[in-house]
């Protein structure tokens, strides 16, 4: 089967999926806004895959207000390429940019894999009129859409009730990972995490991830566990007002010495922070199936989560995670304290989370499911 895959970024699962499909004998053509397999990339493509470097930089992100001007040129370029390749299937990973461009090509069958923040309205997929129109247009043009949770599916089928759908986890090919203790030590020293309990929030600083509520909850934790630190990864350049509000909240609560804002950590520092942390916190008021949750489960680290529907499809409160009320940070603080104070509970939650990850992270099964979708669309 001849398949064209579009992605606006170097997602590991997109690269792994393309590589496995090529390994199974499919003819794979890849379009990505970033070069794949370079020092700046995170993975390499199979040598049999055809990569179109002429599209690099054309599938931009919406933070560049002039990027929209590239769309007509990119669409014409894609249509011309599709006419030349004559693929059986066009598959876009991520609704933003790659999905938009795929929909505007008017190629069919067109498959879209929604990931969460790219497609859910609560996570900003339609935060302005243009994005909202692009989202609706794309979903109405899609032949088949894959989701990682039924919660995501419910929202999208409201836009296109005739949409053919399937639900399965987008996993990555298992790789042997060794814990780099030297790197962990360097990261501890860099962020001054050499003593005390550490809570890690790996989500970006955005209103939907309720960063301010996490900070307020941490203030309550800090009152009970003095030698504790909250580490918040990421930054949010497209919402400076919220970022400033985060800084003001930290100053008002008088806990600036106990909170570390890492900005965008390097890849090795990102990995290290999961192992350094005693507890991982994810507290969105709505979500798809975030990659950070899977990373936490894979590493066997204890999780505290907001009780959003998508996450409750995967995890069980008190077994492989602790859930708390997404609308009340006063409910978040006791859950964090409980894990920090109870070594046995922390270990059990982490171990059960790892078991859950091993059960659901079946990469070959994911590719089998995807091949069934492709075959269904072609026949």
């Amino acid at each position: 089967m001849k398949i064209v895959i579009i992605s606006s970024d170097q997602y590991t699962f997109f690269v792994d999926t393309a590589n496995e499909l090529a390994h199974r004998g499919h003819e794979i053509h890849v379009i990505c806004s970033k070069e794949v397999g370079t020092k700046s990339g995170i993975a390499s493509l199979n040598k049999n895959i055809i990569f179109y470097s002429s599209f690099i930089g054309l599938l931009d992100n919406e933070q560049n207000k002039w990027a929209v001007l590239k769309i007509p040129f990119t669409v014409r370029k894609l249509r011309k390429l599709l006419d030349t390749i004559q693929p059986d299937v066009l598959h876009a990973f991520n609704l933003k940019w790659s999905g938009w461009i795929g929909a505007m090509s008017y190629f069919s069958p067109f498959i879209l894999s929604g990931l969460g923040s790219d497609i859910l309205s609560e996570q900003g997929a339609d935060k302005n009129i243009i994005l909202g129109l692009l989202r609706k247009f794309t979903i109405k043009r899609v032949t088949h859409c894959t989701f990682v949770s039924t919660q995501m599916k419910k929202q999208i089928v409201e836009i296109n009730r005739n949409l053919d759908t399937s639900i399965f986890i987008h996993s990555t090919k298992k790789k042997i990972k060794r814990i780099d203790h030297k790197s962990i030590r360097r990261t501890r020293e860099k962020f001054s995490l050499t003593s005390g309990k550490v809570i890690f929030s790996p989500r970006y600083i955005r209103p939907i991830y309720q960063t301010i509520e996490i900070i307020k909850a941490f203030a309550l934790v800090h009152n009970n566990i003095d030698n504790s630190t909250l580490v918040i990864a990421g930054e949010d350049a497209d919402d400076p007002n919220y970022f400033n509000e985060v800084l003001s909240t930290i100053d008002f609560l008088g806990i600036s010495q106990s909170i570390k804002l890492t900005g965008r950590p390097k890849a090795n520092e990102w990995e290290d922070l999961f192992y350094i942390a005693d507890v991982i916190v994810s507290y969105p008021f709505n979500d798809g199936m975030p990659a950070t949750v899977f990373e936490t489960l894979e590493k066997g680290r204890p999780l505290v989560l907001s009780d959003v529907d998508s996450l409750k499809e995967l995890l069980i409160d008190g077994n492989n995670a602790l859930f708390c009320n997404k609308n009340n940070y006063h409910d978040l603080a006791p859950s964090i304290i409980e894990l920090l104070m109870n070594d046995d509970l922390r270990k059990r939650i982490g171990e059960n989370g790892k078991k859950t990850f091993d059960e659901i992270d079946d990469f070959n099964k994911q590719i089998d499911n995807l091949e069934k979708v492709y075959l269904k669309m072609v026949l």
Side-chain angles (χ1 to χ4, degrees), residues 141-177:
R141 283 287 311 135
V142 169
T143 315
H144 185 100
C145 197
T146 73
F147 302 102
V148 294
S149 70
T150 55
Q151 183 257 349
M152 289 175 62
K153 175 182 173 179
K154 287 177 183 177
Q155 183 179 122
I156 303 308
V157 295
E158 288 295 317
I159 298 173
N160 183 355
R161 294 187 179 277
N162 296 319
L163 183 62
D164 195 44
T165 64
S166 57
I167 298 173
F168 53 84
I169 301 299
H170 290 288
S171 58
T172 59
K173 194 167 187 177
K174 280 186 168 54
K175 303 171 182 69
I176 297 174
K177 293 183 179 179

Side-chain angles (χ1 to χ4, degrees), residues 60-79:
D60 216 318
N61 62 68
E62 74 273 12
Q63 291 181 15
N64 179 354
K65 65 181 180 180
W66 302 111
V68 68
L69 299 177
K70 298 179 183 178
I71 290 179
F73 170 76
T74 307
V75 170
R76 286 196 300 272
K77 190 177 181 69
L78 177 60
R79 286 176 178 171

Side-chain angles (χ1 to χ4, degrees), residues 302-319:
L303 264 170
V304 177
L305 301 166
S306 53
D307 55 354
V308 297
D309 291 340
S310 59
L311 296 175
K312 289 193 289 185
E313 292 177 32
L314 175 66
L315 301 168
I316 301 171
D317 184 33
N319 181 325

